[in-house]
């Protein structure tokens, strides 16, 4: 969820940090981040909304993004801004336009490098074991999905137990 309660559609995610440092391309309108875009789906109490960058294309009275920048679920925002060239985009919806997200992605990746450098490092044998386990689960999911689900459940229970014991220590 975003700061205003709207669902944020995260574009990027890593196993290392999960939802805590999920990333996205955010938009700027008038130099600041606009509120969520709401979709009129007729009558009813549920009005869907999003803050995904592609929704800010000026269509159907929605705001029109002037620039993109990287966002992180932790609250970090990149200083760099990447203006959108509406002369090239034209009247097409942003999700159909060939919008270059390499700048915001590179900024978010650089942010993750800073976070990773500040994090407690994993012991190398444990890091290698986790990589091997992920590979084995991926392979098992392709061959025996129910076995992979069972293994994932076992891992969740192990992680929950070890987390409780570690926090208590």
């Amino acid at each position: 969820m975003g700061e205003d309660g709207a669902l944020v559609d995260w574009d990027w995610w890593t196993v290392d940090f999960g939802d805590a440092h999920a990333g996205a391309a955010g938009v700027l309108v008038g130099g600041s981040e606009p509120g969520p875009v709401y979709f009129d789906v007729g009558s009813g109490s549920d009005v869907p909304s999003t803050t995904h960058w592609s929704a800010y294309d000026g269509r159907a009275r929605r705001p029109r993004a002037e620039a993109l920048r990287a966002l992180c679920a932790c609250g970090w925002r990149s200083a760099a801004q990447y203006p959108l060239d509406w002369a090239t985009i034209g009247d097409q919806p942003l999700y159909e336009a060939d919008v270059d997200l390499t700048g915001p992605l590179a900024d978010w990746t650089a942010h993750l490098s800073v976070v990773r450098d500040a994090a407690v490092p994993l012991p190398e044998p444990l890091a290698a074991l986790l990589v091997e386990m992920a590979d084995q689960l991926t392979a098992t999911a392709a061959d025996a999905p129910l076995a992979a689900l069972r293994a994932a459940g076992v891992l969740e229970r192990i992680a929950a137990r070890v987390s409780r014991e570690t926090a208590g220590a």
Side-chain angles (χ1 to χ4, degrees), residues 20-168:
H21 286 283
V27 300
L28 294 169
V29 176
S32 63
E33 290 180 33
V37 167
Y38 294 93
F39 300 98
D40 183 5
V41 292
S43 63
S45 61
D46 184 36
V47 181
S49 66
T50 186
T51 57
H52 194 266
W53 65 270
S54 63
Y56 296 87
D57 56 10
R59 302 165 75 81
R61 298 187 314 191
R62 295 189 297 254
R64 190 178 206 185
E66 297 166 1
L68 300 176
R69 71 173 173 182
L71 314 174
C72 185
C74 72
W76 171 88
R77 303 296 192 250
S78 70
Q81 299 178 10
Y82 302 89
L84 290 170
D85 181 3
W86 284 101
T88 302
I89 295 169
D91 290 333
Q92 65 184 322
L94 276 178
Y95 64 85
E96 291 179 0
D98 188 22
V99 176
D100 184 7
L101 298 178
T102 57
L105 176 58
D107 293 344
W108 177 74
T109 302
H111 163 67
L112 284 188
S113 293
V114 171
V115 171
R116 194 171 281 114
D117 289 347
V120 174
L122 290 176
E124 186 54 41
L126 181 57
L129 180 61
L130 290 172
V131 168
E132 182 181 343
M133 193 174 312
D135 291 345
Q136 285 291 321
L137 280 172
T138 301
T140 303
D143 298 335
L146 293 177
L149 283 174
R150 182 174 178 206
V154 170
L155 284 175
E156 286 178 354
R157 290 185 290 281
I158 291 169
R161 181 182 52 79
V162 170
S163 295
R164 283 190 307 272
E165 291 172 0
T166 304

